[in-house]
Amino acid sequence: MASTWRIGELCRRTGLTVRTLHHWDHVGLLRPSGRTSSGHRLYDERDVGRLYRIVALRELGLPLETIGTLLDGGGGGGPELAELLGEHLAHVERQLAALGGLRDRLGALVPAVRAAGDAPSVDLLALIEEVTRVDDTVRNYFSEEQLAALAQRRERLGEDAIRGVEAEWPELIARVRAELDAGTDPADPRVRALAARWMELLEAFHGGDPGLRDSLYRMQAENSAEIAQQHGGPTPELIEYVKRAAAAG
């Protein structure tokens, strides 16, 4: 026997509100297939399939009017379920990638605030500005697919390995800068070893993907002054020194 749900049951199972389902019924987006003897709405399994399509397409940013046209056009009931599930999954992965970056930045602030007991408003405002700026900058250079790939690589490597790499960068930059300031020839074995490790850490980021590598280099080149000033990143002069050392090897 096929399953059916009254509107209250469907709302409890899905988290949607009665008001939402009433509205979708009123505009013809999701009309229940049946009614009880007392006139209450009854939704069947086919209605649930359509309901998922509505929810997923809305999550992907389509307005309700467009969703209705898409679902009713051509008599096919809208996109194939497997195709829509795949698009929905890709969308969620992109969201996770963005949230992962925000989580990391907040993770650096939490211990400091816990130790101090509070955070001045000026620090919170600066954090908001930085998060907005960094996210906007990143999205100017990396596609959503690249951000999703980075999130998957991060998951494979594990948080301990990622934190180790992040902790190593400032020390490595400082050691290379010391050699540069001392006038050490980039062909010196000591500098070449530092350059080799530098390239290994970059490889851990882009995984050999030429698109990710090029996006990373372009972002660094076009924002080098800001990265160096605000995040302690390498200057163009330091990067050129590393390139010369790597070429000498």
Side-chain angles (χ1 to χ4, degrees), residues 161 164-170 172-173 194-207 216:
V165 169
E166 291 173 347
E168 186 177 353
W169 264 118
L172 181 59
I173 290 172
L194 292 174
R197 181 55 182 160
W198 186 294
M199 295 303 176
E200 288 174 1
L201 293 185
L202 288 179
E203 177 81 13
F205 174 85
H206 58 67
L216 174 64

Side-chain angles (χ1 to χ4, degrees), residues 23 28 35 40 60 78-79 86 91 108 134-135 139-140 146 172 182 185 193 237:
H23 175 65
R35 297 268 179 171
H40 293 102
L60 292 172
H91 176 72
V134 170
D135 283 348
R139 276 158 181 75
N140 283 334
Q146 288 176 327
L172 181 59
D185 189 323
E237 182 184 20

Side-chain angles (χ1 to χ4, degrees), residues 52 56 59-60 82-98 143-149 151-152:
Y52 169 72
E59 178 74 7
L60 292 172
E83 177 186 353
L84 184 55
L85 283 167
E87 293 178 3
H88 197 177
L89 175 60
H91 176 72
V92 170
E93 287 175 342
R94 290 192 293 269
Q95 290 179 315
L96 288 174
S143 68
E144 297 292 351
E145 292 75 15
Q146 288 176 327
L147 291 174
Q152 292 171 356

Side-chain angles (χ1 to χ4, degrees), residues 18 36 50 58 80 92 95 104 115 141 153 168 212 215:
V18 170
T36 66
R50 183 178 174 97
R58 187 179 63 167
E80 292 293 332
V92 170
Q95 290 179 315
D104 294 339
Y141 294 96
R153 184 174 301 115
E168 186 177 353
L212 278 173
S215 295

